Amino acid sequence: MQRVPVISPLHQTAKTHPHSIAISWRSKGLNIALGYSELSLKVIALGEQLIASGLTGGDRLACIDSNSPELVMLYWACIDQGILFCPLSPRFPPAQITQLIERYTLSHVWAGELHQDLLTQALSHRVISLDFSLTSQPHLAKYQPDRSYPPQSQPARVDAELAANIILTSGSSGMPKAALHSLNNHIANAEGSRSFIPLEHGDSWLLTLPVFHIGGLAIINRCALAGAAVVLQDRDSRLSEQLTTDKITHLSLVATQLVRLLNQDASSLQQVKALLLGGGAISPALLAQLETLKIRSFTSYGMTEMGSQITTGIANEDGSCGHLLPGRELKIQDNEIYVRGETLFLGYLKPHSAAQSLTKSLTRSAEQITLTLDPDGWFFTEDRGYWNEDGNLCILGRCDNMFICGGENIQPEEIETILKQHPEIEEAIVFPLFDDEFGNLPAAIIKGDIPQQSELDALVCSQAARFKRPRQYYPWPEVEQTSLKVSRKQIIEAVLCLESRN
């Protein structure tokens, strides 16, 4: 069946809600906002610049920046032109950025003003410069945003099945894999999310997650489809102040961010309609605070390969992740989780593959994409879990994290969840230490003050078998974090390295 090109959600909303705020941010103490019509015009102008800079459909553009209006504009401009948008973390060192760009044949590179120092000499022939001002295009300079476009600037129609972006996701090997998504993947994910967490025209979602993370990119797509505003986080203000000043209605936080916010000013959450919590189990103490404040909070299970959320539910003390959202399918066999559906990504981009337009048709893209599915089209998540009596998904942990102690299986995440119930513990990682008698014994790395071992033994043994209690506790090492998720491998290696020196 022939595919019909579509106008991106940004341009569609520019027609239906031209004067609604699309994006807002603070710059040098000033509040700046762009309506959907104005943002749409800027994106069209930017797309023309990309083509003038030598890019064409199927090319891959590395974008190095912290969350910024420029990054959001580039995403939509790349969508219009069929260019693969690849945001890279500015926390990566220059050598790693160069390695990733060469590994995945990213043909062109743009870096934000504050991150020009990350561009090595080896990348000089790939670097492009762009003008993000509206007046860069003469036929747009005199145009006042309204419901119609000037004749020269009609929004492009795009093939929503084509690969639209590359998001790097870390595997167990530590080498990031390049996940490819289509615009249709993002639309299906956003619509499924909105079916459970309402998001409407006039709402505002604070972009607390980085755009180089699938959670951040998902917020941009959700807002465009709903006609809501993306609000960039102001790093010069306290989060609690910005929630009140910018009248934030939707917010995504991990537990660490939530703790800081509640310590700053818990009342700043009063006007928030929906708080989406991620990054692992949320302690009962935190949930109790949110309940007292009558904050509607949600937890979810998601992954880069499914475009973000897979299941979502009301946050509760059992640590479950809610029910399946529309556009997704999930099955569990022997506690192993498999997924498929409209949100399933196109696959992983193969290293050193030539640039071309990529689709979900593996017969056309097999040389560039790798995607391992079973005969019925199921993708193995490498996570373990089960459905509880209420029909909510419960995650046991990663398959490759499980280890054996004296012939018994230990899933580290089970013990980590229990340890994080202690009010002094912010984060915990459980891992195996070699033992002559038992093969492995559990040990734990603790972020926060480490209580007495007898106290922690009592806590763990009250909810899990005694053999699962950690025999040794280590303080959290000083390790630079370059991604949203904690790198288990990096933290464990740092602790073992310190131990070997002592």
Side-chain angles (χ1 to χ4, degrees):
M1 186 172 66
Q2 189 174 8
R3 297 198 296 265
V4 178
V6 299
I7 295 172
S8 82
L10 168 69
H11 300 310
Q12 291 180 28
T13 300
K15 291 185 174 183
T16 57
H17 298 95
H19 305 300
S20 295
I21 294 176
I23 182 171
S24 68
W25 69 96
R26 287 201 184 100
S27 177
K28 299 177 182 177
L30 298 175
N31 292 330
I32 302 174
L34 294 178
Y36 269 97
S37 183
E38 190 175 1
L39 179 59
S40 174
L41 289 169
K42 277 182 171 285
V43 165
I44 292 170
L46 188 57
E48 293 173 5
Q49 283 191 64
L50 290 174
I51 298 304
S53 298
L55 285 91
T56 187
D59 280 346
R60 303 162 190 173
L61 177 62
C63 300
I64 308 164
D65 204 4
S66 303
N67 285 358
S68 65
E70 291 83 3
L71 208 54
V72 175
M73 291 181 212
L74 272 172
Y75 170 62
W76 291 116
C78 286
I79 291 283
D80 281 354
Q81 302 302 331
I83 296 165
L84 270 73
F85 172 76
C86 181
L88 297 180
S89 170
R91 291 185 174 184
F92 288 153
Q96 186 177 9
I97 285 176
T98 300
Q99 180 189 30
L100 289 168
I101 288 171
E102 292 176 345
R103 178 179 176 82
Y104 291 113
T105 325
L106 307 183
S107 54
H108 297 74
V109 183
W110 172 86
E113 185 178 348
L114 298 178
H115 302 294
Q116 293 290 315
D117 59 326
L118 296 175
L119 300 174
T120 62
Q121 185 62 35
L123 299 177
S124 58
H125 65 290
R126 307 182 196 225
V127 176
I128 63 170
S129 297
L130 299 166
D131 181 357
F132 289 85
S133 65
L134 183 63
T135 55
S136 61
Q137 299 297 315
H139 63 271
L140 297 181
K142 300 177 183 177
Y143 179 69
Q144 296 299 317
D146 204 344
R147 282 187 171 274
S148 59
Y149 290 85
Q152 306 97 315
S153 300
Q154 292 299 314
R157 289 187 171 272
V158 300
D159 185 344
E161 291 284 337
L162 287 179
N165 67 266
I166 300 170
I167 292 289
L168 298 183
T169 178
S170 297
S172 56
S173 66
M175 174 58 72
K177 291 185 282 188
L180 295 164
H181 303 92
S182 69
L183 182 58
N184 274 350
N185 289 153
H186 294 308
I187 291 172
N189 195 286
E191 289 178 342
S193 173
R194 193 165 51 156
S195 72
F196 193 72
I197 302 178
L199 181 65
E200 303 169 340
H201 161 242
D203 286 339
S204 55
W205 202 308
L206 187 63
L207 191 61
T208 50
L209 305 177
V211 173
F212 59 78
H213 184 276
I214 192 62
L217 195 59
I219 291 171
I220 294 172
N221 286 292
R222 283 181 212 136
C223 288
L225 278 161
V230 173
V231 181
L232 300 186
Q233 190 171 1
D234 180 10
R235 297 295 180 182
D236 295 327
S237 298
R238 287 155 63 101
L239 179 56
S240 57
E241 293 170 355
Q242 187 173 8
L243 293 184
T244 304
T245 303
D246 291 336
K247 298 179 173 59
I248 300 300
T249 61
H250 291 67
L251 186 62
S252 301
L253 296 176
V254 294
T256 304
Q257 293 171 310
L258 177 58
V259 169
R260 292 195 196 117
L261 177 58
L262 291 173
N263 289 336
Q264 286 175 11
D265 181 7
S267 65
S268 64
L269 283 166
Q270 294 287 3
Q271 84 288 342
V272 172
K273 295 180 181 179
L275 172 60
L276 184 58
L277 300 169
I282 308 299
S283 73
L286 282 180
L287 291 175
Q289 282 185 270
L290 294 174
E291 189 174 345
T292 300
L293 293 166
K294 295 182 169 54
I295 304 301
R296 191 168 170 79
S297 55
F298 303 85
T299 55
S300 68
Y301 166 64
M303 62 190 308
T304 300
E305 291 82 355
M306 286 291 279
S308 187
Q309 292 165 269
I310 302 171
T311 67
T312 300
I314 301 296
N316 57 56
E317 290 189 13
D318 68 8
S320 61
C321 304
H323 62 267
L324 196 62
L325 295 174
R328 297 91 161 140
E329 296 179 66
L330 185 151
K331 73 171 182 178
I332 299 176
Q333 289 183 339
D334 299 324
N335 287 132
E336 295 181 339
I337 299 174
Y338 296 78
V339 292
R340 66 182 183 186
E342 298 171 53
T343 68
L344 181 64
F345 76 141
L346 305 183
Y348 300 112
L349 182 65
K350 291 182 179 179
H352 312 297
S353 59
Q356 71 173 59
S357 296
L358 302 171
T359 72
K360 204 160 192 169
S361 171
L362 298 184
T363 56
R364 291 179 54 190
S365 306
E367 292 181 3
Q368 284 77 31
I369 296 177
T370 177
L371 178 61
T372 303
L373 304 175
D374 75 5
D376 296 319
W378 292 99
F379 178 78
F380 180 37
T381 66
E382 299 183 25
D383 288 324
R384 301 178 67 247
Y386 63 95
W387 298 106
N388 68 12
E389 295 176 353
D390 298 320
N392 293 323
L393 182 66
C394 297
I395 301 299
L396 293 170
R398 296 288 293 173
C399 293
D400 53 5
N401 287 341
M402 189 172 69
F403 62 91
I404 297 174
C405 169
E408 299 282 358
N409 291 337
I410 292 182
Q411 189 71 50
E413 291 87 347
E414 176 193 5
I415 311 306
E416 292 162 6
T417 299
I418 297 171
L419 289 172
K420 285 191 285 186
Q421 293 174 11
H422 195 287
E424 299 296 323
I425 296 178
E426 185 179 327
E427 187 62 74
I429 291 178
V430 172
F431 68 102
L433 276 181
F434 176 76
D435 180 78
D436 288 329
E437 181 180 356
F438 294 96
N440 291 298
L441 284 174
I445 305 166
I446 301 296
K447 190 173 189 178
D449 294 330
I450 302 179
Q452 291 292 323
Q453 177 141 357
S454 58
E455 184 180 351
L456 293 177
D457 284 352
L459 174 63
V460 172
C461 295
S462 68
Q463 301 175 56
R466 184 171 177 79
F467 72 84
K468 296 182 179 181
R469 73 193 189 285
R471 308 303 202 274
Q472 196 157 344
Y473 289 89
Y474 299 93
W476 200 269
E478 292 292 330
V479 173
E480 184 180 3
Q481 191 172 324
T482 58
S483 65
L484 191 66
K485 291 183 179 179
V486 172
S487 172
R488 299 179 67 92
K489 182 178 179 182
Q490 192 178 12
I491 297 294
I492 294 167
E493 285 179 351
V495 166
L496 294 178
C497 183
L498 286 171
E499 276 297 294
S500 66
R501 294 175 186 171
N502 296 336

